[in-house]
Amino acid sequence: MKQEAALQPPLTKSGLENPTRRTLLLGSAGAMAAVSLLGFSPLAKADEPKSLPDYAAWKERNALIVHSANTMETERGAIGNGVITPSDRLFVRNNLPAPPASITDDPDAWEVHIEGVKNPRNLTVGELKKMGVTTVASVLQCSGNGRAFFPHGASGTQWSVGAAGCVMWTGVPLKDVVEALGGPVDGAKYITSSGGESLPDGLDPKTIIVERSVPTRAMSSAILAWEMNDEPLTHTHGGPLRMVVPGYYGVNNVKYVKNVALSENQTDAKIQVSGYRVRDVGVKGATDQPSMWEMNVKSWVTSPLEDGRSGRTMIYGVAFGGTVALKKVDVSVDGGKTWKQARFLGPDLGPYAWRPFVLAADLPAGEHRVVSKASDVDGNTQPEGRTENERGYGHNGWSDHGVTVTLS
């Protein structure tokens, strides 16, 4: 689409303009406090890469774009061609500073309160491990992944494509826990999870707490997870215990989960009432707007990202359907004028996981706009353009997510 093509910035390995031009958006005193508490300085020179904050120091720095102390994005070229994203390359997004790292010293002692069931009680992680176990592969994606492509300058971290990864979660199915506690109370319509971060003094807890409600239809797949990628869940990613809702945007996968309630109504926390709502540009968030729950079908190219030689070229990428299994991925090397179907790589790890794909193409010298378009088994297909909205949420348009390479 010519109009959209005109909006494309010069691309780097991340698929965006030079990351040193990105703005660190700290819109409140609370955000500044978060930076300070994490021991991270946003005042580095523009041409100097930001260091990793202490709680994420074990990550592979060269694979990450550090936007702030709370936000680290996986480089497009570091996503790779495998089904599972290595933990040290997985993006990081925190709404609040993490609790002390010491909470993972004895993970089995961590307690979560379960209410909205016939027999509410506290359960330790050690007790949860005796109630059942399952492992599920699921895409973890921030609601604002792709925000950087919105021309109106949506506020928030300017994610390109790297606020997403596919990981293996191990934990107890939430439905097993609910059944063991007598089942849900009558009238339960939502699962509400509360995070265990320490809240700053002097603020109304409901204005800052990470507390999210999802429909009870998510009960069939939700788990309370204590492992990620076959290792104990790190403090960085929500350990000792995290609510995982496969197929749902990352904000609903509450870290350091301390309370789970089956409730008739959604939480009245700000992050639910007005936050993570899809609304027109310039409109404030409200409860009558769609909430960022199930993810939509999406894909993007991960290679090639740099100029090279003409001839046989292997085009790689990743695709997923949210809560719906994928059917196919089509790839175009001429900006969407013509398409060829790619083939999936590796094993199919279920409807919530992503599928790496590849297409072999013979490309002549010149400039090529490489884009991908995924379709799921329910007939949903990525649109060409974006759905304009205030916060730049849920972007799955194939045009913006492409890359331009010049071959000689």
Side-chain angles (χ1 to χ4, degrees):
M1 198 160 65
K2 293 183 179 179
Q3 185 176 4
E4 290 185 346
L7 297 171
Q8 294 292 339
L11 297 176
T12 66
K13 290 184 180 181
S14 305
L16 278 179
E17 57 186 334
N18 191 324
T20 61
R21 295 174 59 191
R22 296 175 186 162
T23 302
L24 179 62
L25 298 172
L26 297 171
S28 68
M32 285 300 294
V35 170
S36 177
L37 287 169
L38 286 167
F40 174 89
S41 172
L43 302 178
K45 295 179 181 179
D47 58 350
E48 293 179 356
K50 301 184 184 75
S51 60
L52 295 175
D54 290 345
Y55 78 102
W58 58 276
K59 294 276 187 175
E60 185 180 340
R61 176 63 186 88
N62 292 337
L64 298 172
I65 302 166
V66 181
H67 294 284
S68 76
N70 290 341
T71 52
M72 287 152 262
E73 174 177 359
T74 308
E75 288 271 10
R76 186 190 288 246
I79 291 173
N81 307 320
V83 181
I84 300 302
T85 304
S87 299
D88 60 358
R89 294 188 175 194
L90 183 64
F91 82 102
V92 176
R93 167 70 173 107
N94 285 333
N95 281 285
L96 287 174
S102 59
I103 63 174
T104 57
D105 290 348
D106 184 10
D108 282 1
W110 180 266
E111 288 189 336
V112 59
H113 181 67
I114 312 294
E115 59 184 272
V117 292
K118 302 293 174 57
N119 302 300
R121 58 168 293 193
N122 287 350
L123 291 167
T124 66
V125 171
E127 290 172 316
L128 290 173
K129 289 180 177 180
K130 299 176 183 178
M131 300 177 75
V133 64
T134 190
T135 297
V136 62
S138 177
V139 171
L140 182 67
Q141 180 185 214
C142 181
S143 302
N145 198 30
R147 177 182 288 133
F149 301 120
F150 283 79
H152 74 276
S155 64
T157 301
Q158 298 302 295
W159 306 112
S160 171
V161 301
C166 184
V167 296
M168 299 289 292
W169 303 103
T170 297
V172 60
L174 180 61
K175 61 183 179 181
D176 289 0
V177 178
V178 171
E179 290 173 4
L181 299 182
V185 295
D186 295 339
K189 297 179 181 177
Y190 297 97
I191 304 164
T192 299
S193 304
S194 308
E197 295 93 342
S198 297
L199 304 182
D201 294 332
L203 296 176
D204 178 356
K206 289 294 184 179
T207 66
I208 194 169
I209 189 172
V210 178
E211 186 171 84
R212 288 286 295 178
S213 300
V214 298
T216 51
R217 61 176 176 265
M219 181 81 73
S220 61
S221 59
I223 68 173
L224 291 168
W226 53 76
E227 284 187 4
M228 187 181 82
N229 290 349
D230 294 328
E231 296 181 343
L233 186 57
T234 64
H235 169 249
T236 312
H237 289 291
L241 191 68
R242 183 170 186 167
M243 171 63 75
V244 172
V245 190
Y248 282 61
Y249 284 100
V251 68
N252 305 291
N253 295 251
V254 175
K255 303 183 186 75
Y256 324 108
V257 63
K258 286 296 289 183
N259 195 82
V260 177
L262 301 185
S263 54
E264 183 177 356
N265 300 306
Q266 298 179 37
T267 174
D268 60 354
K270 182 180 179 181
I271 197 172
Q272 182 84 20
V273 172
S274 59
Y276 292 88
R277 298 281 178 172
V278 181
R279 70 262 197 186
D280 292 340
V281 177
V283 175
K284 294 183 178 180
T287 55
D288 61 349
Q289 300 156 348
S291 190
M292 293 304 292
W293 285 336
E294 290 98 336
M295 295 188 293
N296 49 23
V297 62
K298 188 171 183 177
S299 71
W300 60 85
V301 171
T302 58
S303 178
L305 302 178
E306 299 177 339
D307 297 344
R309 307 290 295 179
S310 60
R312 193 70 162 174
T313 303
M314 305 300 286
I315 299 169
Y316 295 92
V318 292
F320 54 92
T323 59
V324 182
L326 284 174
K327 180 179 181 181
K328 65 172 183 173
V329 177
D330 295 313
V331 172
S332 173
V333 296
D334 54 17
K337 295 177 182 178
T338 60
W339 299 88
K340 290 184 178 180
Q341 187 171 334
R343 65 180 179 87
F344 292 127
L345 291 171
D348 181 354
L349 296 184
Y352 309 116
W354 70 23
R355 300 295 308 274
F357 62 84
V358 64
L359 176 74
D362 293 311
L363 300 182
E367 185 177 272
H368 301 272
R369 182 65 180 170
V370 186
V371 292
S372 61
K373 180 173 62 176
S375 301
D376 65 32
V377 295
D378 284 352
N380 301 301
T381 299
Q382 283 182 259
E384 179 177 1
R386 68 185 81 83
T387 299
E388 303 294 347
N389 67 91
E390 172 66 18
R391 294 304 307 278
Y393 288 148
H395 187 7
N396 70 333
W398 56 256
S399 180
D400 283 347
H401 285 81
V403 296
T404 300
V405 293
T406 301
L407 305 181
S408 60

